[in-house]
Amino acid sequence: AGSQLREIFDKINNLLSGKPVQTGGRTVSVTQHPQGLDFVYYKLAEKFVNQGEEEVASHRDSAFTIGVVTSGIWELHPRVGELFLAHLHKKCPYAVPFYPALKEGTSMEEYQRMLGYQVKDSKMEEEDHFLKRMSGLIRLYAAVIQLRWPYGNKQGAHPHGLNHGWRWLAQMLNMEPLADVTATLLFAFLEVCGNALMKQYQVQFWKMMLFIREDYIPRYESV
């Protein structure tokens, strides 16, 4: 609900603005420690990204709820946005987009981590779970780039708008497809922000869709 969302947003904004905030039965403020604000910037950005791989991965529509809060906080506190991208790219290199290559001297376990897989006790997570997490992260990113916090004054441009989504899509289609990963992420991305891209880029968007259908899908099927 909008009122709940505003309450959450205001609490985060107040905390980052140095105001005392009630949480867990106590009052906290970033001014209580010299590195307090830096710590909260880092942990908040990490939490937003975690929501992508946990909440959005399981409940697709939550991408918009979490995305609009992330976007609004990013607009008021740019450092959170920089750290959000850093955490996102570390957990999901495909959000760059980037396909890490196996380099000489890198262990298979380390390489799997670079690809975004969770590795516990030398056991790699199952493919279905991995794709679900990556899909959740891309959905959150696709929501963030198109949404503005509706209760702000929206004076300037979006801090990380649709042009970044257009660039991501173009770069993905310029790279050789990876089995399973590429199709999953393209679908997740377009399902969330394809309509917004279509409205902004119009004919250019349809040209890209035509390219996907006639050129990219045959290339994908070959792998």
Side-chain angles (χ1 to χ4, degrees), residues 101-108 110-111 114:
L102 179 59
K103 293 180 180 175
E104 197 176 334
T106 305
S107 69
M108 188 50 66
E110 183 57 34
Y111 179 56
M114 286 167 60

Side-chain angles (χ1 to χ4, degrees), residues 7-214:
E7 195 178 317
I8 292 165
F9 182 91
D10 289 343
K11 198 169 187 179
I12 295 171
N13 185 37
N14 287 340
L15 180 66
L16 295 175
S17 301
K19 296 175 184 174
V21 169
Q22 287 282 334
T23 178
R26 50 186 282 208
T27 303
V28 295
S29 168
V30 295
T31 60
Q32 289 171 297
H33 191 280
Q35 276 83 50
L37 184 58
D38 286 337
F39 176 77
V40 173
Y41 278 154
Y42 183 91
K43 294 304 288 184
L44 178 63
E46 184 181 50
K47 289 276 186 188
F48 281 144
V49 172
N50 287 349
Q51 290 280 303
E53 66 173 347
E54 293 164 12
E55 182 66 22
V56 180
S58 301
H59 306 98
R60 294 178 175 188
D61 288 350
S62 65
F64 296 99
T65 317
I66 299 161
V68 77
V69 173
T70 305
S71 171
I73 293 295
W74 187 335
E75 198 164 338
L76 294 175
H77 306 276
R79 186 77 182 126
V80 174
E82 293 171 12
L83 290 164
F84 171 80
L85 287 176
H87 283 295
L88 178 68
H89 291 166
K90 188 175 182 182
K91 288 208 164 182
C92 177
Y94 317 104
V96 176
F98 171 63
Y99 297 149
L102 179 59
K103 293 180 180 175
E104 197 176 334
T106 305
S107 69
M108 188 50 66
E109 188 172 316
E110 183 57 34
Y111 179 56
Q112 287 165 345
R113 284 201 173 93
M114 286 167 60
L115 290 172
Y117 287 91
Q118 291 177 340
V119 184
K120 290 174 184 171
D121 301 323
S122 298
K123 189 180 178 187
M124 190 175 76
E125 73 178 308
E126 293 179 0
E127 189 73 6
D128 283 355
H129 189 259
F130 165 72
L131 291 172
K132 192 176 178 184
R133 280 195 312 106
M134 295 300 109
S135 174
L137 290 166
I138 289 295
R139 282 177 188 280
L140 177 58
Y141 180 63
V144 168
I145 62 176
Q146 66 174 302
L147 295 171
R148 302 291 295 270
W149 179 245
Y151 308 108
N153 55 23
K154 294 191 276 292
Q155 293 290 319
H158 190 298
H160 193 81
L162 271 174
N163 58 311
H164 291 276
W166 183 257
R167 186 178 67 185
W168 180 87
L169 188 56
Q171 287 177 326
M172 278 290 280
L173 297 175
N174 274 329
M175 294 159 67
E176 284 307 305
L178 282 184
D180 298 337
V181 175
T182 305
T184 302
L185 300 186
L186 281 176
F187 175 75
F189 183 81
L190 288 170
E191 191 173 48
V192 174
C193 78
N195 187 56
L197 288 171
M198 183 267 291
K199 283 181 176 176
Q200 179 150 322
Y201 293 98
Q202 298 179 16
V203 173
Q204 293 305 313
F205 175 81
W206 292 115
K207 283 181 181 175
M208 194 172 281
M209 292 305 100
L210 212 59
F211 171 79
I212 290 174
R213 191 182 75 180
E214 295 181 356

